[in-house]
Amino acid sequence: MKKWILAAAISAALTACSASQSPTALPQGVTLLETVTVADSAVGIPYKKYMLANGLTVVLHQDSSDPLVHVDVTYHVGSARELPGRSGFAHLFEHMMFQGSEHVGDEQHFKTVTEAGGTLNGTTNTDRTNYFETVPSNQLEKMLWLESDRMGYFLPALTEEKFEVQRETVKNERAQRIDNQPYGRMNERFNQAFYPAGHQYSWPVIGWPADLDRANVDDVKHFFQRWYGPNNATLTIGGDFDEVQALAWINKYFGEIPRGPEVTGETKELVTLDATRYISMEDRVHLPLLRIAFPTVYASHEDEAALDLLANIIGGGPTSLVYKNLVKDGYAVQAGVSHPCQELACQFSIYALANPARGGQLSDIEQRVKESIAEFEQRGVTDADLQKVKVQFEASTIFGLQSVKGKVSTLALNQTFFGDPDRIAFDLKRYAGVTKADVMRVFNTYIKGKPMVVMSVVPEGQKQLIAHADNFVAPAPKVADEAVSGVNAIALASSSFDRSVMPVAQQAPVITAPVLWTGNLQNGIPVMGTTSEETPTVELVIYLNGGHRLVDIKQAGLANLTASLLNESSQKRTTEELAQALEMLGSSVSFGASTYQSYIKVSTLTSHLDETLAIVNEKLFEPGFKAADFERIKQQHLQSLQHMQSDPNYIADSTFDALLFGADTPLGVSSQGTMASVAALTLEDVRAFYQVQYRAGNAQMVVVGDLNKDKLMNKLAGFATWQGDSSKLPAMKPLPALAGGHVYLLDKPGAAQSVIKIGKRAMPYDATGDYFKSYLMNYPLGGAFNSRINLNLREDKGYTYGARSYFSGGSEEGLFEASASVRTDVTAEAMVEFANEINGYQASGMTEKELMFMRNSISQGQALDYETPYQKAGFMRRIQRFGLDADFTQTQAQIINTISKETLNKLASSELKLDEMIVLIVGDRAKIEKNIKALGYPVTVLEL
């Protein structure tokens, strides 16, 4: 659907939308509220908005470009609806709502959606909870049945056992995402100081552990009754569907659900501080971090847009003052300014990761931040400042709407918070209307001389690095007498039809892969492309075979360091000048590297393609390779490597690779390199690698845009003068023999969880052979949410937030891995369950039901594979890199539908022998070693 034609000027979008309430034949009880169309010369999302008699708001957006639908149910309830001392309910409910309802069995939500070929999830923030599914278009009725059943019939299925399991799952999620992560506890500590005691944003969305322990089943029931009624929800559907049929289904499944208690909007009172508050925290980190924030307004306040522009000017990238004064000068490894907004409050937020090589003293960082703010006051706002931010906003709006999910999410959010689904024209107008005087006014109103919260996070034992002595202690949170207020007697939902009968899917949509074209530039560089007219954008990726694999292992990290330097200055312009040029276009150009390739990713509006490609050529063919850039980038890289040693997951990944592939091969050493290898690199090394890697003979291109082949090939002609033959990969050293059945334990004292990895080397990638068939074989074991491993460790035992297994293959080698982050106190027990599941599956294989589940899920899921330009580019790159036939997916589909259970089980028998696998555990040795050894495994303790 070609609705995204960028206006020549922003003003063209401002009068693009029209609304009407023309009468239509509708199901009884359904009211059409408005119809909004979008002119072809404008940017926006056409939709129709309806309301059911019970108050449910329905927003429908039709897009027939792909055979899929995205369904979103957003409830206007987040952690801000909780009461003091009763935190975590909204997030807990996100988990509980996947545990079945009166007519949908336990674990059936995930199974039903996955088997239908769809994806699903739920998210919770301070202000809303949403549940969403993307499925083939023939599965829409089934999704409405699922969502309506948990809206209207959840409570009869709620049990004490389910509640306890999900409470443990939430604790595991907290341990994994907060307690076991560097800086993980920073946000919740910061918000306690930033917001008044008892403010809805002063507690974490995931909840305080003590509050979770305090909750009981009745509290959960009351929270659901209070907030999850249809009158506090918006159902949004986007994609390829029949509107009349969809409305009939919506009315059938949702119309009989009783209205819930009335819900009013929260009071929006501006947050203020009486004085600057200093707080600090020691953490298991390497880089000292300074975080500063000023309270400002709230989402959609008249000053929000000007504050966003102010944040961009002071700290929004390489052209900003904070970058110049902190990062460019080497005092910070990273720094930035943003203005995130929530429904009730916004923060003007500044952060900087101090460079220990320059002392790491956060008082110095704070002073430089203050000097940057003072410099802005003297410098003021330029015309270029306003133009670049407005162009960036407009471009990001376009790029954010490349998928049905993106459009549906936008409609749902805007309806929930503002009662207006498509605010694109409104937002463009308010950003276009910001003046220099507006920016200076909000600076003087909210920033200049105003109190702030200043938080220092320093490595354990290095309290001397904090910016200032603490002068604020958050008061102990009060505990509300009741968990939920405002619950009235609520009528239970009844149904006029048998809800226990799952709807039958309609005829499956015809799935077609993108129509591809191929060509060659005059110098022989192969180009593969496809036309996508949904947005006026072009996505180009230039791949260069080689990457980390092309580097001598003693120079590990060189491919990444070279790419990073190519993101800096050219011979003609500085880093800041190039960044400014791209910002003025709303484009992005990014050099990077991975194990087998270096790459250049280009995203641009079609109208700015020529100018953007000129910048790509300048960066690629005339790199600056300046000594000052090199020293700064190298120092940042070294500090980043040191920082990653604080992350248990990075430690586990890099150590596991070294065990499997050897610490003297490029597959066993991270493409990021090591402290020793990166420290030894020189600018001459970078120049030499550039000559070997960035040659035309190594290059291949994929491109997705709203131009045809001839036009795109003409645009790419500037690369036709690129020269150089392909580079040969160095020989790989022999890989190590694996000590199957051996456990390697890497001690991380104080770790909140244990990271477990079990695996072995396996076959390299192939599209239709045993590698692909092993992917099918593993699907019921650990490849889906409702796989055996995840249901056991997460849903049945409550050991983890998630567990999985998978095969991964490159052009030379592959691996099989089963992994999870588990509670420290059940590390040994989790190993036993992993072993039981892998051994049982290896011995007996999948069942007939699992075979059918796999077939349905994977084959129908192909409808979702080619929606976005990014997905199309990835599809084409796979064909290029591995030399596949353009119709290889048809062969895969035939395999999926015809492969026998016996063939798959034979693969399981040969590929899943546990005694051929090694085990790595990263955790607190003092707490887990004894129980692991008691299992009888030989254990080797590793050092970091």
Short mmCIF file of all heavy atoms in Angstrom, two decimals, residues 720-760:
data_model
loop_
_atom_site.label_atom_id
_atom_site.label_comp_id
_atom_site.label_asym_id
_atom_site.label_seq_id
_atom_site.Cartn_x
_atom_site.Cartn_y
_atom_site.Cartn_z
N ALA A 720 31.10 1.87 -9.11
CA ALA A 720 31.64 1.08 -10.22
C ALA A 720 33.14 1.27 -10.43
O ALA A 720 33.79 0.45 -11.08
CB ALA A 720 30.88 1.41 -11.51
N THR A 721 33.70 2.35 -9.88
CA THR A 721 35.14 2.58 -10.02
C THR A 721 35.95 1.89 -8.92
O THR A 721 37.18 1.94 -8.93
CB THR A 721 35.44 4.08 -9.99
OG1 THR A 721 34.95 4.64 -8.75
CG2 THR A 721 34.75 4.79 -11.15
N TRP A 722 35.27 1.30 -7.97
CA TRP A 722 35.92 0.59 -6.86
C TRP A 722 36.74 -0.56 -7.44
O TRP A 722 36.26 -1.31 -8.30
CB TRP A 722 34.84 0.08 -5.93
CG TRP A 722 35.26 -0.36 -4.56
CD1 TRP A 722 36.51 -0.40 -4.04
CD2 TRP A 722 34.36 -0.81 -3.54
NE1 TRP A 722 36.46 -0.84 -2.74
CE2 TRP A 722 35.16 -1.10 -2.42
CE3 TRP A 722 32.99 -1.00 -3.47
CZ2 TRP A 722 34.61 -1.60 -1.23
CZ3 TRP A 722 32.44 -1.46 -2.30
CH2 TRP A 722 33.23 -1.77 -1.19
N GLN A 723 37.96 -0.75 -6.97
CA GLN A 723 38.86 -1.76 -7.53
C GLN A 723 39.33 -2.72 -6.45
O GLN A 723 39.07 -2.53 -5.26
CB GLN A 723 40.07 -1.10 -8.20
CG GLN A 723 39.71 -0.20 -9.38
CD GLN A 723 39.02 -0.94 -10.49
OE1 GLN A 723 39.48 -2.01 -10.93
NE2 GLN A 723 37.90 -0.40 -10.97
N GLY A 724 40.04 -3.77 -6.86
CA GLY A 724 40.65 -4.73 -5.93
C GLY A 724 40.06 -6.11 -6.04
O GLY A 724 38.84 -6.28 -6.19
N ASP A 725 40.94 -7.13 -6.00
CA ASP A 725 40.50 -8.52 -6.05
C ASP A 725 40.01 -8.98 -4.69
O ASP A 725 40.23 -8.31 -3.67
CB ASP A 725 41.65 -9.42 -6.51
CG ASP A 725 42.11 -9.09 -7.93
OD1 ASP A 725 41.27 -8.61 -8.71
OD2 ASP A 725 43.32 -9.27 -8.22
N SER A 726 39.40 -10.14 -4.67
CA SER A 726 38.93 -10.70 -3.40
C SER A 726 40.13 -11.14 -2.55
O SER A 726 41.21 -11.45 -3.07
CB SER A 726 38.00 -11.89 -3.65
OG SER A 726 38.70 -12.91 -4.34
N SER A 727 39.92 -11.17 -1.25
CA SER A 727 40.98 -11.56 -0.30
C SER A 727 40.76 -12.98 0.17
O SER A 727 39.61 -13.40 0.42
CB SER A 727 40.97 -10.61 0.91
OG SER A 727 41.16 -9.28 0.49
N LYS A 728 41.83 -13.73 0.29
CA LYS A 728 41.75 -15.12 0.70
C LYS A 728 41.80 -15.23 2.22
O LYS A 728 42.63 -14.59 2.88
CB LYS A 728 42.91 -15.91 0.09
CG LYS A 728 42.85 -17.40 0.36
CD LYS A 728 44.02 -18.12 -0.31
CE LYS A 728 43.95 -19.63 -0.03
NZ LYS A 728 45.10 -20.35 -0.66
N LEU A 729 40.90 -16.03 2.79
CA LEU A 729 40.90 -16.23 4.23
C LEU A 729 42.11 -17.06 4.65
O LEU A 729 42.48 -18.02 3.97
CB LEU A 729 39.62 -16.94 4.68
CG LEU A 729 38.29 -16.23 4.42
CD1 LEU A 729 37.15 -17.09 4.94
CD2 LEU A 729 38.26 -14.86 5.06
N PRO A 730 42.75 -16.71 5.75
CA PRO A 730 43.87 -17.52 6.24
C PRO A 730 43.40 -18.89 6.70
O PRO A 730 42.23 -19.08 7.03
CB PRO A 730 44.42 -16.70 7.41
CG PRO A 730 43.29 -15.83 7.85
CD PRO A 730 42.48 -15.54 6.62
N ALA A 731 44.31 -19.85 6.70
CA ALA A 731 43.96 -21.21 7.13
C ALA A 731 43.55 -21.21 8.61
O ALA A 731 44.10 -20.45 9.42
CB ALA A 731 45.13 -22.14 6.91
N MET A 732 42.59 -22.05 8.95
CA MET A 732 42.12 -22.19 10.34
C MET A 732 42.97 -23.22 11.07
O MET A 732 43.25 -24.29 10.54
CB MET A 732 40.66 -22.63 10.36
CG MET A 732 40.09 -22.77 11.76
SD MET A 732 39.24 -21.32 12.34
CE MET A 732 37.77 -21.38 11.35
N LYS A 733 43.39 -22.91 12.28
CA LYS A 733 44.10 -23.89 13.08
C LYS A 733 43.17 -25.02 13.48
O LYS A 733 41.94 -24.85 13.52
CB LYS A 733 44.67 -23.22 14.33
CG LYS A 733 45.84 -22.29 14.07
CD LYS A 733 46.45 -21.79 15.37
CE LYS A 733 47.67 -20.92 15.10
NZ LYS A 733 48.30 -20.45 16.37
N PRO A 734 43.73 -26.20 13.78
CA PRO A 734 42.87 -27.32 14.20
C PRO A 734 42.04 -26.96 15.43
O PRO A 734 42.52 -26.26 16.33
CB PRO A 734 43.89 -28.43 14.52
CG PRO A 734 45.11 -28.06 13.75
CD PRO A 734 45.15 -26.57 13.72
N LEU A 735 40.81 -27.41 15.45
CA LEU A 735 39.93 -27.12 16.58
C LEU A 735 40.20 -28.10 17.70
O LEU A 735 40.63 -29.24 17.48
CB LEU A 735 38.47 -27.21 16.12
CG LEU A 735 38.08 -26.28 14.97
CD1 LEU A 735 36.61 -26.45 14.62
CD2 LEU A 735 38.38 -24.83 15.31
N PRO A 736 39.96 -27.69 18.95
CA PRO A 736 40.31 -28.55 20.10
C PRO A 736 39.39 -29.75 20.23
O PRO A 736 38.23 -29.72 19.82
CB PRO A 736 40.14 -27.60 21.29
CG PRO A 736 39.12 -26.61 20.84
CD PRO A 736 39.38 -26.40 19.39
N ALA A 737 39.95 -30.81 20.80
CA ALA A 737 39.11 -31.96 21.17
C ALA A 737 38.28 -31.57 22.39
O ALA A 737 38.79 -30.95 23.33
CB ALA A 737 39.99 -33.17 21.48
N LEU A 738 36.99 -31.92 22.37
CA LEU A 738 36.11 -31.55 23.48
C LEU A 738 36.06 -32.66 24.51
O LEU A 738 35.95 -33.84 24.16
CB LEU A 738 34.69 -31.26 22.96
CG LEU A 738 34.54 -30.10 21.98
CD1 LEU A 738 33.07 -29.91 21.63
CD2 LEU A 738 35.11 -28.82 22.56
N ALA A 739 36.14 -32.27 25.75
CA ALA A 739 36.02 -33.23 26.85
C ALA A 739 34.54 -33.38 27.19
O ALA A 739 34.02 -32.73 28.10
CB ALA A 739 36.81 -32.74 28.07
N GLY A 740 33.85 -34.21 26.41
CA GLY A 740 32.42 -34.39 26.61
C GLY A 740 32.07 -34.81 28.02
O GLY A 740 32.81 -35.56 28.66
N GLY A 741 30.96 -34.31 28.52
CA GLY A 741 30.52 -34.63 29.87
C GLY A 741 31.23 -33.86 30.95
O GLY A 741 31.06 -34.14 32.14
N HIS A 742 32.03 -32.86 30.56
CA HIS A 742 32.82 -32.08 31.52
C HIS A 742 32.12 -30.77 31.84
O HIS A 742 31.50 -30.15 30.97
CB HIS A 742 34.20 -31.80 30.91
CG HIS A 742 35.27 -31.58 31.91
ND1 HIS A 742 36.09 -32.61 32.37
CD2 HIS A 742 35.66 -30.47 32.57
CE1 HIS A 742 36.95 -32.11 33.24
NE2 HIS A 742 36.71 -30.82 33.39
N VAL A 743 32.22 -30.35 33.10
CA VAL A 743 31.66 -29.07 33.53
C VAL A 743 32.79 -28.08 33.78
O VAL A 743 33.76 -28.40 34.50
CB VAL A 743 30.82 -29.22 34.81
CG1 VAL A 743 30.36 -27.85 35.32
CG2 VAL A 743 29.61 -30.10 34.56
N TYR A 744 32.67 -26.90 33.19
CA TYR A 744 33.62 -25.82 33.43
C TYR A 744 32.90 -24.75 34.24
O TYR A 744 31.82 -24.28 33.86
CB TYR A 744 34.12 -25.24 32.11
CG TYR A 744 34.89 -26.25 31.28
CD1 TYR A 744 34.23 -27.09 30.38
CD2 TYR A 744 36.27 -26.38 31.41
CE1 TYR A 744 34.93 -28.03 29.64
CE2 TYR A 744 36.98 -27.32 30.67
CZ TYR A 744 36.30 -28.13 29.78
OH TYR A 744 37.00 -29.07 29.05
N LEU A 745 33.49 -24.36 35.33
CA LEU A 745 32.88 -23.40 36.26
C LEU A 745 33.71 -22.13 36.30
O LEU A 745 34.89 -22.16 36.65
CB LEU A 745 32.77 -24.02 37.66
CG LEU A 745 32.26 -23.11 38.78
CD1 LEU A 745 30.89 -22.53 38.44
CD2 LEU A 745 32.20 -23.88 40.09
N LEU A 746 33.10 -21.03 35.92
CA LEU A 746 33.77 -19.74 35.97
C LEU A 746 33.17 -18.92 37.09
O LEU A 746 31.97 -18.64 37.10
CB LEU A 746 33.63 -19.01 34.63
CG LEU A 746 34.67 -17.93 34.33
CD1 LEU A 746 34.77 -17.68 32.83
CD2 LEU A 746 34.34 -16.62 35.03
N ASP A 747 33.98 -18.59 38.06
CA ASP A 747 33.50 -17.95 39.29
C ASP A 747 33.19 -16.48 39.07
O ASP A 747 34.01 -15.72 38.55
CB ASP A 747 34.58 -18.09 40.37
CG ASP A 747 34.09 -17.60 41.73
OD1 ASP A 747 32.85 -17.55 41.93
OD2 ASP A 747 34.93 -17.29 42.59
N LYS A 748 31.96 -16.08 39.43
CA LYS A 748 31.58 -14.67 39.45
C LYS A 748 30.94 -14.39 40.81
O LYS A 748 29.73 -14.53 41.00
CB LYS A 748 30.60 -14.34 38.33
CG LYS A 748 30.41 -12.82 38.16
CD LYS A 748 29.98 -12.49 36.78
CE LYS A 748 29.99 -11.01 36.46
NZ LYS A 748 30.25 -10.05 37.49
N PRO A 749 31.77 -14.06 41.80
CA PRO A 749 31.26 -13.88 43.16
C PRO A 749 30.10 -12.88 43.22
O PRO A 749 30.13 -11.84 42.57
CB PRO A 749 32.49 -13.34 43.91
CG PRO A 749 33.66 -13.84 43.13
CD PRO A 749 33.21 -13.80 41.70
N GLY A 750 29.09 -13.25 43.98
CA GLY A 750 27.95 -12.36 44.17
C GLY A 750 26.94 -12.37 43.03
O GLY A 750 25.97 -11.61 43.07
N ALA A 751 27.15 -13.20 42.01
CA ALA A 751 26.22 -13.24 40.88
C ALA A 751 24.82 -13.60 41.35
O ALA A 751 24.65 -14.52 42.16
CB ALA A 751 26.70 -14.24 39.83
N ALA A 752 23.81 -12.87 40.85
CA ALA A 752 22.43 -13.13 41.27
C ALA A 752 21.87 -14.38 40.63
O ALA A 752 20.89 -14.95 41.12
CB ALA A 752 21.55 -11.93 40.92
N GLN A 753 22.45 -14.82 39.51
CA GLN A 753 22.02 -16.02 38.81
C GLN A 753 23.23 -16.78 38.30
O GLN A 753 24.35 -16.25 38.28
CB GLN A 753 21.12 -15.66 37.62
CG GLN A 753 19.74 -15.17 37.97
CD GLN A 753 18.88 -14.99 36.73
OE1 GLN A 753 19.29 -14.37 35.76
NE2 GLN A 753 17.69 -15.53 36.75
N SER A 754 22.98 -18.00 37.88
CA SER A 754 24.00 -18.79 37.19
C SER A 754 23.62 -18.87 35.72
O SER A 754 22.49 -19.20 35.38
CB SER A 754 24.09 -20.20 37.77
OG SER A 754 24.49 -20.18 39.11
N VAL A 755 24.57 -18.55 34.84
CA VAL A 755 24.36 -18.71 33.40
C VAL A 755 24.86 -20.10 33.01
O VAL A 755 26.04 -20.43 33.23
CB VAL A 755 25.11 -17.64 32.60
CG1 VAL A 755 24.85 -17.82 31.10
CG2 VAL A 755 24.71 -16.25 33.05
N ILE A 756 23.98 -20.93 32.47
CA ILE A 756 24.32 -22.30 32.09
C ILE A 756 24.31 -22.40 30.57
O ILE A 756 23.36 -21.97 29.91
CB ILE A 756 23.32 -23.32 32.67
CG1 ILE A 756 23.33 -23.27 34.19
CG2 ILE A 756 23.63 -24.72 32.18
CD1 ILE A 756 22.30 -24.19 34.83
N LYS A 757 25.39 -22.98 30.01
CA LYS A 757 25.45 -23.28 28.59
C LYS A 757 25.91 -24.73 28.42
O LYS A 757 26.91 -25.14 29.01
CB LYS A 757 26.42 -22.34 27.87
CG LYS A 757 25.92 -20.91 27.74
CD LYS A 757 26.92 -20.04 26.97
CE LYS A 757 26.39 -18.65 26.77
NZ LYS A 757 25.30 -18.59 25.78
N ILE A 758 25.16 -25.47 27.62
CA ILE A 758 25.47 -26.87 27.33
C ILE A 758 25.54 -27.01 25.81
O ILE A 758 24.63 -26.56 25.11
CB ILE A 758 24.38 -27.81 27.88
CG1 ILE A 758 24.20 -27.61 29.39
CG2 ILE A 758 24.71 -29.27 27.57
CD1 ILE A 758 22.97 -28.30 29.95
N GLY A 759 26.61 -27.60 25.29
CA GLY A 759 26.64 -27.71 23.84
C GLY A 759 27.88 -28.37 23.28
O GLY A 759 28.74 -28.90 24.01
N LYS A 760 27.98 -28.31 21.97
CA LYS A 760 29.09 -28.93 21.24
C LYS A 760 29.17 -28.28 19.87
O LYS A 760 28.28 -27.53 19.46
CB LYS A 760 28.84 -30.42 21.09
CG LYS A 760 27.59 -30.74 20.26
CD LYS A 760 27.55 -32.17 19.81
CE LYS A 760 26.46 -32.38 18.75
NZ LYS A 760 26.55 -33.67 18.09
#
